[in-house]
Amino acid sequence: MMLAVLLGLLGAAMGSFAALLAERLVRGEGFVRGRSRCRSCGTALGAAELVPLLSFPLLSGRCRHCQAPIPPVLWQAEIVGMLMGVAAGALAWDPWRGLLMAGWMWSLLALAVADLRWFRLPLPLLALNAALGFGMAMAGDGLGWPLPGDRLTIALAGAAAGGGAFWLIRVAYAWLAGRQGMGLGDVLLMAALGLALGIPRLPMVVLLAALSALAVAVLRALVKGRSLRRLGRVPFGAALALAAALVAVFVPY
């Protein structure tokens, strides 16, 4: 219980950092140095404006200096990051596995934010997620499954199955439609998810992602009064990332 509380508190801050990391990587900016600033007026933000979970509602979702709206996804990322930390802490067999799982889910959150806002899956975030997912697979669940000798095989088979299946879909669609319908980032993301989750859980990830992405696209079209035949671009990478986090929490090996 204590681990879940600690990772939940850390998760709120990490959710904010995940959103910041996604934005700066997409824009090609450094993220190690440099204070956070309002994108509208350029004013450096103080500590009181960067308190996870609290600053957004206290500021009514607007910059204190210029009153420009703050993207709600930043606050939502803090909430989701907190929930991810709580889930990882509650499920983990020990603190090390809990932190590893939480870090993996926070990297998925950063990828989801990048795809939702800019339809991009930055390569550094994909590499980070793959590394954390591989570490999570090698650590196992602490209950003897998967067996130590099988972990590498399971991880590599999952990466090959996930990435290979999506690469074939990407090539087949491009050949049949004469245009690209899936980004290479989605292929790399599925390979990374296969590393962490193994083959048995990948179909559930894809099904959940497809249903949620379709539902969001249809609702968006209805709200904007557009025809359902023209749903527009769908951030499927974000759907995959969040579906993978849910499957990791609720679907055992």
Side-chain angles (χ1 to χ4, degrees):
M1 179 61 71
M2 181 58 67
L3 181 61
V5 172
L6 292 176
L7 288 181
L9 294 175
L10 178 61
M14 290 304 296
S16 179
F17 179 70
L20 172 68
L21 183 61
E23 180 174 7
R24 292 193 176 184
L25 285 175
V26 169
R27 294 177 182 271
E29 301 173 348
F31 59 88
V32 177
R33 295 182 179 180
R35 295 178 59 183
S36 296
R37 297 178 179 273
C38 173
R39 286 289 177 186
S40 297
C41 65
T43 303
L45 304 180
E49 298 165 284
L50 297 171
V51 180
L53 301 179
L54 298 179
S55 291
F56 184 89
L58 290 177
L59 293 171
S60 299
R62 293 187 175 275
C63 172
R64 184 166 61 88
H65 307 279
C66 68
Q67 295 302 303
I70 301 171
V73 69
L74 302 180
W75 189 50
Q76 294 162 2
E78 295 173 357
I79 296 173
V80 174
M82 178 189 67
L83 295 175
M84 286 176 166
V86 170
L91 291 173
W93 186 250
D94 56 41
W96 161 244
R97 288 182 175 86
L99 187 59
L100 192 58
M101 183 178 183
W104 176 75
M105 289 198 288
W106 293 330
S107 68
L108 288 175
L109 176 58
L111 285 164
V113 172
D115 199 37
L116 283 170
R117 298 190 68 189
W118 300 283
F119 290 98
R120 291 275 304 278
L121 293 172
L123 188 58
L125 284 178
L126 288 168
L128 174 62
N129 180 257
L132 291 170
F134 183 73
M136 193 168 70
M138 292 301 97
D141 62 6
L143 300 175
W145 179 260
L147 297 175
D150 298 332
R151 291 172 189 168
L152 181 60
T153 302
I154 290 173
L156 294 180
F166 266 46
W167 181 80
L168 288 175
I169 293 172
R170 183 173 187 264
V171 171
Y173 183 90
W175 180 66
L176 292 172
R179 59 185 177 86
Q180 291 292 344
M182 176 184 292
L184 184 59
D186 293 333
V187 177
L188 296 176
L189 176 57
M190 273 301 292
L193 296 180
L195 274 175
L197 300 177
I199 293 176
R201 292 193 284 185
L202 288 182
M204 181 67 72
V205 171
V206 175
L207 177 61
L208 183 58
L211 292 176
S212 59
L214 179 61
V216 170
V218 169
L219 287 174
R220 184 181 298 171
L222 293 175
V223 169
K224 294 183 177 181
R226 296 192 308 216
S227 170
L228 295 183
R229 295 182 179 180
R230 301 180 61 186
L231 296 179
R233 296 179 67 184
V234 177
F236 194 56
L240 283 173
L242 296 178
L246 288 174
V247 168
V249 171
F250 293 106
V251 181
Y253 275 107

